[in-house]
Amino acid sequence: MFRLEKIYRFKNSSGSIMLSFWLSHVHSKPTQITNENFNMQTYGAEHDKSLGIPGEDLENILSARRFVGWYNGQPGDENLNPDLSTDTVAVLGQGNVALDVARVLLAPIDYLKSTDITAHALEALSKSQVKRVMLIGRRGPVQAAFTIKELREMLKMEGCKSVFQQDDFKGVQEFLPSVARPRKRLTELLAQAALDPKAEWLEAWKTAERSFEPIFYRSPAAFLPSSSKAGTVGAIKLAVTELHGEMSETQGVKNTGAFEDVKCGLVLRSIGYKGLPADPDIPFDSKSGVVINSKGKVKGLPGVYCGGWLGTGPVGVIVNTMGNAFELGRLIEGDIKDGTINATTARPGYMEAAKILDNKGVQTVSFKDWEKIDQEEQNRGKAIDKPREKIISVSEMLKVAAN
Ligand code: NAP
């Protein structure tokens, strides 16, 4: 997990041998595949979606993606400085990213100290005034986008109670027998937490000082300014929604025409990620943020492939992305075997790229170099009883790599 996370962090840096480097320094165009037998676009979905509603430019409305970057050590997000002086945070969206940020905001500081969270986030969270995190979704419990493992961890978090509106669960239990796993197990757990919590949860929730509050059937309509802190968000105007059609995971949503305002001092927008185009020659669907492809083959560009969230959209957990990578590998193997890709001539590939980078005086990071950084982070962590202390500055990473 650490390795994947670390590689992810490298991807954006100007000092890596990963794709961003490749695109900007090695090829004038990523579609130019003269030095390779084929080209694979796998740079993920780095952008996040916005809501496009009034007031979205108020202060203290942040993207959950950047908040995750802030506590995870993504270079560039270290100065995010989320305002944690408020007691109420609204997280918009009900996916795993939303649940992840809620967990970090609500977790006991002693627990966070034992993780590899960044030092600056730990410092800020140790002074946090946040007591209540609302997780606001436009649809119902049957359509929640988070997964059961993450919910389970939230429900048993020390010092935090879960608060549900029982009315949101009307008809859910009757619907359960017709639902397939894993949705069935997730919905059962949600319904249990809302309608019939385990005795051990209730006991723990009695003394909890913080609360996790999933709110269903509410869609953000506007952000309202704070009356006490000029220029910052003070509340969200929520449209009350209802679902149409038969109860199902994919039910559509519409506004009822009713609205309500909820107060909050910080908003984390967590409504999904979006990929960006790297080259105008690569067919790209700007609406969904994916390269237009058929099972990984980029449309109209033989020898160019795409994979991961750039090809599938930002869906699925790590195991799904791994499955996608294996499929892509098999696809390319098949294309080599049947001659779709000309692999009979050896091409310089990475060696040529390394030469170009070297001539430009750009420091590259080999896997061995990366291991040095990894080890240094672990050493720094050991000294303060953490699994690792992350290096945030890219220039510092490069210095360690060069040693
Ligand atoms: P996600 O799972 O797609 O969830 C997005 C959420 O935002 C949904 O609740 C969605 O509601 C809502 N939403 C989207 N557009 C909206 C709008 N205009 N107004 C109001 N709500 C809106 O996205 P994510 O949380 O960013 O996660 C991305 C992927 O990474 C997921 O597959 C997730 O499981 C995975 N991930 C996994 C982990 C983990 O394994 N721990 C951690 C992080 C992320 P609707 O359903 O109504 O559209």
Side-chain angles (χ1 to χ4, degrees):
M1 179 183 144
F2 291 139
R3 294 200 158 190
L4 282 172
E5 191 272 337
K6 176 68 90 118
I7 288 167
Y8 174 76
R9 287 205 284 143
F10 268 139
K11 187 164 56 67
N12 265 354
S13 80
S14 59
S16 94
I17 55 166
M18 300 293 174
L19 200 59
S20 55
F21 228 11
W22 193 267
L23 295 179
S24 56
H25 293 283
V26 182
H27 287 308
S28 55
K29 282 190 178 303
T31 42
Q32 180 186 330
I33 50 169
T34 42
N35 290 327
E36 304 86 30
N37 296 95
F38 61 90
N39 175 308
M40 218 192 301
Q41 308 270 313
T42 57
Y43 57 86
E46 289 287 326
H47 205 59
D48 46 78
K49 293 182 190 155
S50 57
L51 287 155
I53 58 173
E56 206 163 353
D57 53 355
L58 285 166
E59 276 177 45
N60 294 354
I61 300 174
L62 305 175
S63 87
R65 176 184 63 82
R66 293 210 61 206
F67 186 76
V68 171
W70 173 73
Y71 66 70
N72 259 344
Q74 171 77 20
D77 288 337
E78 64 273 30
N79 297 320
L80 188 70
N81 291 331
D83 182 355
L84 304 177
S85 65
T86 177
D87 62 358
T88 304
V89 178
V91 181
L92 301 178
Q94 292 182 325
N96 275 330
V97 172
L99 210 52
D100 278 353
V101 298
R103 267 165 38 208
V104 167
L105 285 165
L106 292 166
I109 200 72
D110 283 343
Y111 164 73
L112 291 177
K113 276 182 193 160
S114 69
T115 71
D116 66 350
I117 191 168
T118 53
H120 56 253
L122 193 60
E123 164 78 14
L125 287 160
S126 69
K127 296 178 193 145
S128 165
Q129 298 299 310
V130 175
K131 295 272 179 281
R132 183 174 174 232
V133 175
M134 299 179 284
L135 208 73
I136 301 175
R138 59 183 169 181
R139 298 194 288 158
V142 172
Q143 295 82 26
F146 45 71
T147 42
I148 192 164
K149 180 172 156 281
E150 286 64 33
L151 174 67
R152 205 177 277 130
E153 281 174 27
M154 190 72 241
L155 293 173
K156 55 181 196 202
M157 178 179 285
E158 196 191 320
C160 179
K161 66 180 168 211
S162 295
V163 179
F164 292 87
Q165 300 293 327
Q166 296 202 340
D167 275 0
D168 290 344
F169 287 78
K170 270 186 197 149
V172 167
Q173 277 173 315
E174 295 73 12
F175 173 65
L176 272 173
S178 63
V179 193
R181 283 164 73 121
R183 169 63 63 183
K184 182 174 185 163
R185 290 184 55 226
L186 169 66
T187 315
E188 275 169 352
L189 184 63
L190 265 174
Q192 181 183 24
L195 306 174
D196 184 22
K198 286 183 193 177
E200 67 196 74
W201 296 343
L202 286 173
E203 193 52 37
W205 293 352
K206 269 188 206 160
T207 51
E209 290 188 345
R210 292 178 167 180
S211 64
F212 165 65
E213 303 185 23
I215 293 178
F216 297 98
Y217 304 112
R218 296 291 182 275
S219 177
F223 296 104
L224 310 173
S226 158
S227 52
S228 55
K229 257 186 181 173
T232 67
V233 69
I236 313 178
K237 187 183 181 74
L238 295 173
V240 179
T241 63
E242 61 188 10
L243 302 182
H244 48 84
E246 292 253 306
M247 192 178 266
S248 77
E249 219 174 303
T250 55
Q251 254 180 305
V253 63
K254 61 181 182 195
N255 293 351
T256 61
F259 292 91
E260 68 180 31
D261 296 349
V262 293
K263 286 190 178 166
C264 57
L266 176 67
V267 174
L268 296 173
R269 193 184 48 223
S270 182
I271 59 167
Y273 287 28
K274 210 174 168 183
L276 292 175
D279 182 301
D281 288 352
I282 294 188
F284 196 81
D285 178 347
S286 313
K287 196 159 176 255
S288 54
V290 299
V291 166
I292 299 171
N293 70 95
S294 168
K295 294 184 178 160
K297 288 191 188 202
V298 176
K299 204 177 162 204
L301 291 173
V304 182
Y305 299 84
C306 70
W309 281 11
L310 184 66
T312 62
V315 287
V317 294
I318 286 170
V319 71
N320 304 104
T321 309
M322 274 172 63
N324 177 262
F326 294 140
E327 266 172 42
L328 191 58
R330 277 191 289 270
L331 176 81
I332 293 172
E333 189 188 15
D335 282 357
I336 290 172
K337 277 189 185 145
D338 70 17
T340 307
I341 291 175
N342 179 4
T344 50
T345 330
R347 302 258 176 98
Y350 166 73
M351 299 309 288
E352 184 60 24
K355 228 191 285 169
I356 296 171
L357 293 169
D358 207 36
N359 286 340
K360 289 186 176 185
V362 178
Q363 184 187 340
T364 57
V365 177
S366 67
F367 190 69
K368 267 216 157 78
D369 294 337
W370 173 80
E371 283 179 318
K372 286 188 219 165
I373 303 172
D374 182 41
Q375 192 56 55
E376 175 64 20
E377 288 191 347
Q378 290 186 44
N379 294 345
R380 291 184 190 187
K382 214 176 269 169
I384 50 170
D385 251 1
K386 280 174 76 177
R388 73 175 56 232
E389 187 60 60
K390 290 175 185 170
I391 303 171
I392 314 297
S393 143
V394 174
S395 57
E396 198 183 344
M397 289 183 208
L398 291 175
K399 220 185 265 173
V400 173
N403 271 335

